[in-house]
Amino acid sequence: MFKQSLIATSIIATLAGCSSLSTEQQTVNALAENLDIEYQVLTNHGANEGLSCQELGAEWASCNKVNMTLVNNGAAVDSSDWEIYFHSIRLILDVDNDQFKVTRITGDLHKLEQQRSLMVLLLVK
């Protein structure tokens, strides 16, 4: 009797774990299919436009400014546990939005993540 209940508990726990992974994969799939990232270069001559490139640590005291916008074209995403990895040949020196954090991983690979819950952002179409 004990062995059967232990096996049943193990199977239920395993299925619950698979359900969680399936839900996570569904979130990844939904974001991959419906999330657009709009990337607009505002200036390539930041120092000439009054940006503090040198103080931010830009090479040759030269930097640019871009506007990156996330647009969800699909159903609401109810997960606040996500990260977006992207490449940028330019180092990200500053983020002018307290909801996001960008971390350099290695080379030109960066990670965009939330500072606090962005549930509202991802729920709005």
Side-chain angles (χ1 to χ4, degrees), residues 23-72:
T23 302
E24 289 175 5
Q25 187 60 51
Q26 289 171 351
T27 300
V28 169
N29 292 347
L31 286 172
E33 292 171 7
N34 298 302
L35 187 66
D36 287 338
I37 300 177
E38 297 173 1
Y39 189 88
Q40 178 186 15
V41 176
L42 302 176
T43 180
N44 270 323
H45 308 286
N48 295 341
E49 302 281 332
L51 297 177
S52 54
C53 301
Q54 186 170 7
E55 290 82 7
L56 290 170
E59 291 182 355
W60 305 98
S62 176
C63 62
N64 63 1
K65 185 172 184 176
V66 302
N67 188 24
M68 193 162 76
T69 307
L70 304 177
V71 179
N72 181 9

Side-chain angles (χ1 to χ4, degrees):
M1 181 70 168
F2 177 71
K3 281 186 177 181
Q4 288 178 344
S5 63
L6 181 61
I7 291 171
T9 303
S10 297
I11 291 172
I12 291 170
T14 303
L15 291 175
C18 291
S19 172
S20 170
L21 291 176
S22 174
T23 302
E24 289 175 5
Q25 187 60 51
Q26 289 171 351
T27 300
V28 169
N29 292 347
L31 286 172
E33 292 171 7
N34 298 302
L35 187 66
D36 287 338
I37 300 177
E38 297 173 1
Y39 189 88
Q40 178 186 15
V41 176
L42 302 176
T43 180
N44 270 323
H45 308 286
N48 295 341
E49 302 281 332
L51 297 177
S52 54
C53 301
Q54 186 170 7
E55 290 82 7
L56 290 170
E59 291 182 355
W60 305 98
S62 176
C63 62
N64 63 1
K65 185 172 184 176
V66 302
N67 188 24
M68 193 162 76
T69 307
L70 304 177
V71 179
N72 181 9
N73 294 310
V77 175
D78 62 358
S79 173
S80 61
D81 183 25
W82 55 267
E83 299 166 341
I84 297 174
Y85 291 81
F86 67 98
H87 291 274
S88 174
I89 60 170
R90 305 272 186 221
L91 291 178
I92 310 297
L93 302 173
D94 189 30
V95 178
D96 192 20
N97 187 318
D98 63 353
Q99 294 180 343
F100 295 102
K101 175 183 174 184
V102 175
T103 306
R104 180 174 176 244
I105 304 300
T106 184
D108 63 351
L109 181 62
H110 294 75
K111 175 175 65 171
L112 172 71
E113 58 190 321
Q114 58 194 350
Q115 291 281 61
R116 56 180 186 235
S117 177
L118 287 177
M119 190 71 67
V120 174
L121 176 75
L122 292 177
L123 293 176
V124 176
K125 279 188 174 183

